[in-house]
Amino acid sequence: MIIDSLFWIVPVASLLALGFAWWFFAQMKKADEGTDTMKRIAQYVRQGAMSYLKQQYKVVGIVFIVLSLLFVLMAYGFDFQNGWTPFAFLTGGIFSGLAGFIGMRTATYASARTANAARHSLNSGLKIAFRSGAVMGLVVVGLAVLDIALWYLILNYFIDEPKTTHKLIIITTTMLTFGMGASTQALFARVGGGIYTKAADVGADLVGKVEAGIPEDDPRNPATIADNVGDNVGDVAGMGADLYESYAGSILATAALGASAFALSGESAQYKAILAPMLIAAVGIVLSIFGVFIVRTKEGATMKDLLRSLGVGVNVSSALIALSTFGILYYLGIENWLGISFSVISGLVAGIIIGQSTEYFTSHSYRPTRRVSKSAETGPATVIISGVGLGMISTAIPVVTIAIAILMAFLCAINFDIKHMLAAHNIQLGLYGIGIAAVGMLSTLGITLATDAYGPIADNAGGNAEMSKLGPEVRKRTDALDSLGNTTAATGKGFAIGSAALTALALLASYIEEIKIGLMRLGENILTFADGTTIATAEATIVDFMEYYQVTMINPIVLTGILIGAMMAFLFSGLTMNAVGRAAQKMVEEVRRQFREIKGIMEGEAEPDYARCVAISTRGAQIEMILPSMLAIIIPIVTGLVLGVAGVIGLLAGGLAGGFVLAIFMANSGGAWDNAKKYIEEGNFGGKGSEAHKAAVTGDTVGDPFKDTSGPSLNILIKLMSMVSIVMAGATVAISLF
């Protein structure tokens, strides 16, 4: 088995990312945290966030133990899967959880320091917030690439397979299973964190802003600390875990597709196809670090100026990784290296377009969100209608972009051989192109995630500034940073959803390869087709398996699977929306109770019971996250056992199509409602306290679970169903009813 000097670039790049993450964290810790009041508020938030994570990890730990025991039984009891699967599953979950923990810990230390830096200048505040966000970005890519490199080395050493090309297929498909661990952890983090933060946010907004008429983040509001805690557990820890599994999943799926597509070309070609996505990710890490250092702004910068500052870092990194890709693939000497390079470019360009589209539809610098703001003049109903319409319209550009990216990635990889594009080799090569396009889209995750994690840090900094009663000039700067964060968060969600679509498609193709291995493990070495012809299982292509399992649109099993997959997107969203609603009801009642029973709160003479609100959000999130998260695991298993391979492929296709479009709609509607409120708070259409402002707050309240709970959780749902199906492939082919 070949492991040449190029491979070691991968673990070295991961260690470089982790090293810079530690350095950025250390530099942030050296900054002054501000006054005693600022320190006390930051401590409240930090304690609440850590308390929540401890509770969440207890629940998730139980789920992981149960699933690990199931995989042990499947591997060693029934021989349905590789014996390494339970261990790979555990490391995926542990590394994903660790990335979220480090990112959130950094954010809770950075918020007060950002607020204090904003006392001096806008650039100082931006620098601390952004570089603290970069800790999250670099930890995610560093740990993901390190995990991949370590598992490759371990499996290469221990797997004993005389035929090297087959060994590489076993290695890459086994590595896919640690992606399920990452996806499972990510879903619990996203759903639980989303329920937590939105329960607190809704309670704070409805009672504080609308009923009591006090500003956002006013220390008199009992839900304020819980709201700030929620920003960290949902938008930092949750988003970090989310993009960790997207990033790792895209690399792993592409490596598995490369092992399959180039198996007949020999060991060397196969190894290069596996190494390529790892090297692109490694170079992307280095260029992301470079991008972080060139982000800066000037005093008095407008929203567009701030967006441009962040855009410089992201766009320069993207341009450099695009150029580097050509060099990497040329040096490796991969078949049709030029075409596959353009497949990577198609993913990069798609990511940029989706990000820009999201910014256009959610930033109040542009007309769509301003129109939502104007609709608030006629009440909450028109705000809701306007935001829903905007979200629906906003799906067009991302969907068309992803569709074009898929076609271009496929065609570039097969050198535009349209006449024979459905030939077996071209299909495998084209799917590899789609997978590597997903890698390209996520190659600069180190800096794109930094722009996302920056958002909740800036939001918490604004909250700290308000509660610490810093001057209006400071609050103006933190508000500017916070508004920027709302847009970058929405852009990050759009980016995550777009990458999920490409990754899920690559995983769907990898599922077929896992089915092949499952059949061979069961001793079914010959496939007999409906017409009586046969083929050796080891030699069967994706086209052969599609014919063998009759995966066509006229197969009722496939159609049933498609409908179940599309239904899952709506069922999951409904469950998470209702979960937020129930938790928010409890928060609203508690805030009202404190305003009513604790004398002197409104006068500032008594301190609210912040801890009680934190406890309500924590308990609500822990209870409510279990059902939707477990359904995401159980439904693919049941579908596979009942409907078989054809049903699972339908399920994954339906889930991808329905979930992708619904996720964009929800994320963009929610982002637009949020920034429409912010636009009014800047003094437009009557400003704070006006009837238009109250209507916009209602819209923002509806949009909160849209953009921060249900919407972003859908992209994890899409990939988790794929990962569960891959891990359960052996059981599906062994005991399914159809």
Side-chain angles (χ1 to χ4, degrees):
M1 174 53 201
I2 301 173
I3 293 182
D4 60 12
S5 57
L6 284 175
F7 172 81
W8 297 106
I9 294 174
V10 179
V12 168
S14 72
L15 295 174
L16 186 67
L18 295 173
F20 269 97
W22 177 85
W23 186 73
F24 286 143
F25 178 81
Q27 292 296 110
M28 176 271 294
K29 284 293 296 293
K30 290 179 181 177
D32 186 4
E33 200 170 13
T35 65
D36 289 340
T37 302
M38 296 172 73
K39 293 175 182 177
R40 190 179 76 257
I41 292 166
Q43 183 66 17
Y44 283 155
V45 174
R46 190 154 49 247
Q47 287 175 347
M50 291 304 166
S51 176
Y52 170 79
L53 268 196
K54 288 178 182 177
Q55 292 300 318
Q56 177 179 281
Y57 288 162
K58 287 179 183 177
V59 175
V60 176
I62 294 170
V63 173
F64 267 78
I65 290 170
V66 172
L67 288 174
S68 296
L69 291 174
L70 173 64
F71 297 151
V72 167
L73 179 65
M74 290 173 59
Y76 296 99
F78 299 106
D79 198 30
F80 287 164
Q81 57 189 209
N82 191 290
W84 288 98
T85 295
F87 307 103
F89 169 74
L90 283 173
T91 63
I94 291 169
F95 274 57
S96 176
L98 182 61
F101 174 83
I102 294 172
M104 197 195 71
R105 188 167 178 82
T106 303
T108 58
Y109 276 108
S111 56
R113 290 171 169 83
T114 299
N116 190 59
R119 297 167 72 184
H120 306 290
S121 72
L122 185 64
N123 186 59
S124 297
L126 176 65
K127 184 177 176 181
I128 288 180
F130 183 70
R131 292 194 176 182
S132 298
V135 174
M136 174 88 265
L138 294 176
V139 164
V140 164
V141 297
L143 287 178
V145 171
L146 181 63
D147 202 7
I148 290 169
L150 289 175
W151 269 112
Y152 187 84
L153 291 169
I154 291 168
L155 294 174
N156 175 55
Y157 182 81
F158 284 103
I159 289 179
D160 186 19
E161 176 63 43
K163 191 176 180 181
T164 305
T165 53
H166 187 57
K167 178 177 178 176
L168 282 170
I169 291 173
I170 294 174
I171 288 173
T172 52
T173 51
T174 302
M175 287 169 66
L176 270 173
T177 60
F178 98 65
M180 181 184 167
S183 294
T184 303
Q185 167 62 34
L187 189 64
F188 276 99
R190 248 316 181 190
V191 173
I195 294 170
Y196 184 110
T197 184
K198 294 306 104 180
D201 203 1
V202 170
D205 283 355
L206 285 182
V207 186
K209 284 186 180 180
V210 177
E211 296 180 10
I214 59 179
E216 186 172 7
D217 298 316
D218 193 298
R220 293 172 292 177
N221 194 327
T224 293
I225 296 295
D227 187 12
N228 284 322
V229 171
D231 289 335
N232 290 286
V233 300
D235 293 336
V236 179
M239 175 59 87
D242 176 358
L243 285 170
Y244 177 96
E245 61 96 25
S246 285
Y247 184 72
S250 68
I251 298 170
L252 293 169
T254 306
L257 288 171
S260 175
F262 292 87
L264 297 177
S265 301
E267 175 189 324
S268 179
Q270 196 183 25
Y271 169 73
K272 291 174 181 177
I274 293 169
L275 185 61
M278 299 182 191
L279 283 179
I280 291 170
V283 173
I285 287 174
V286 176
L287 296 175
S288 291
I289 294 170
F290 171 73
V292 169
F293 280 100
I294 62 177
V295 173
R296 54 178 50 87
T297 192
K298 59 185 179 182
E299 192 62 33
T302 64
M303 174 65 79
K304 286 189 176 180
D305 292 332
L306 289 169
L307 283 169
R308 195 179 300 114
S309 298
L310 294 187
V312 167
V314 175
N315 294 333
V316 168
S317 298
S318 298
L320 290 174
I321 190 62
L323 293 172
S324 302
T325 296
F326 288 91
I328 291 168
L329 296 180
Y330 172 76
Y331 186 80
L332 288 173
I334 289 179
E335 177 188 342
N336 189 25
W337 67 269
L338 185 61
I340 294 175
S341 296
F342 279 106
S343 294
V344 176
I345 302 302
S346 68
L348 269 169
V349 172
I352 292 169
I353 293 173
I354 290 173
Q356 292 298 312
S357 168
T358 305
E359 180 185 324
Y360 175 74
F361 281 105
T362 60
S363 171
H364 60 57
S365 299
Y366 303 98
R367 257 182 291 180
T369 295
R370 290 187 178 186
R371 282 198 289 264
V372 176
S373 297
K374 184 170 177 57
S375 72
E377 292 182 315
T378 50
T382 48
V383 171
I384 302 300
I385 293 169
S386 181
V388 168
L390 178 149
M392 289 179 172
I393 293 170
S394 73
T395 63
I397 294 176
V399 170
V400 171
T401 299
I402 287 295
I404 293 173
I406 288 170
L407 285 172
M408 291 302 298
F410 190 100
L411 292 173
C412 288
I414 65 172
N415 209 21
F416 284 84
D417 185 11
I418 298 175
K419 187 177 180 180
H420 303 101
M421 66 182 294
L422 297 182
H425 180 65
N426 276 349
I427 285 180
Q428 289 187 304
L429 197 59
L431 289 171
Y432 180 76
I434 293 171
I436 210 163
V439 175
M441 183 182 285
L442 291 166
S443 58
T444 55
L445 184 63
I447 187 169
T448 51
L449 184 51
T451 65
D452 199 321
Y454 151 88
I457 294 173
D459 192 358
N460 270 212
N464 194 301
E466 180 70 32
M467 286 184 278
S468 302
K469 302 186 186 305
L470 301 184
E473 185 62 29
V474 178
R475 187 61 185 166
K476 182 181 178 182
R477 290 170 182 155
T478 59
D479 282 349
L481 295 174
D482 184 21
S483 294
L484 174 65
N486 285 330
T487 300
T488 59
T491 303
K493 290 180 178 71
F495 184 80
I497 294 165
S499 66
L502 290 178
T503 302
L505 192 58
L507 289 171
L508 181 57
S510 298
Y511 174 68
I512 302 298
E513 194 62 40
E514 194 68 40
I515 291 296
K516 178 194 287 189
I517 292 173
L519 287 169
M520 293 171 66
R521 188 179 295 276
L522 293 171
E524 296 187 24
N525 296 315
I526 300 294
L527 300 181
T528 304
F529 296 91
D531 62 359
T533 59
T534 61
I535 187 174
T537 304
E539 297 175 4
T541 64
I542 289 178
V543 176
D544 294 324
F545 279 103
M546 290 296 176
E547 184 180 347
Y548 178 73
Y549 286 108
Q550 298 181 320
V551 183
T552 66
M553 290 301 296
I554 60 174
N555 185 343
I557 293 175
V558 176
L559 287 172
T560 301
I562 290 172
L563 290 172
I564 294 172
M567 176 272 297
M568 270 296 295
F570 285 85
L571 175 62
F572 182 85
S573 297
L575 288 171
T576 51
M577 289 284 291
N578 284 335
V580 171
R582 285 190 294 270
Q585 279 183 304
K586 295 176 182 176
M587 185 65 71
V588 167
E589 290 169 359
E590 174 60 23
V591 175
R592 285 173 176 169
R593 183 195 68 79
Q594 291 198 33
F595 278 146
R596 187 175 59 250
E597 296 180 5
I598 302 178
K599 306 301 181 184
I601 285 184
M602 293 303 294
E603 294 78 20
E605 297 171 356
E607 187 172 270
D609 187 355
Y610 299 123
R612 175 66 180 163
C613 292
V614 170
I616 288 173
S617 272
T618 300
R619 186 167 56 253
Q622 299 303 315
I623 295 171
E624 297 286 359
M625 74 178 181
I626 295 173
L627 177 59
S629 299
M630 291 309 299
L631 276 178
I633 297 171
I634 293 168
I635 293 297
I637 295 175
V638 174
T639 302
L641 296 179
V642 176
L643 299 179
V645 173
V648 170
I649 291 174
L651 173 80
L652 300 182
L656 172 58
F660 176 51
V661 179
L662 183 60
I664 294 170
F665 156 66
M666 298 184 85
N668 287 354
S669 283
W673 278 318
D674 192 354
N675 279 327
K677 177 200 67 176
K678 287 283 194 300
Y679 188 63
I680 293 174
E681 289 175 345
E682 290 180 359
N684 302 288
F685 305 114
K688 289 183 179 181
S690 65
E691 290 302 313
H693 181 233
K694 291 179 180 178
V697 170
T698 301
D700 180 36
T701 303
V702 174
D704 277 338
F706 267 51
K707 68 180 175 67
D708 290 327
T709 307
S710 301
S713 297
L714 282 170
N715 60 62
I716 308 173
L717 173 73
I718 294 167
K719 289 168 292 185
L720 180 58
M721 289 199 301
S722 299
M723 288 294 186
V724 172
S725 300
I726 287 171
V727 173
M728 297 298 297
T732 299
V733 297
I735 57 178
S736 63
L737 295 180
F738 290 92

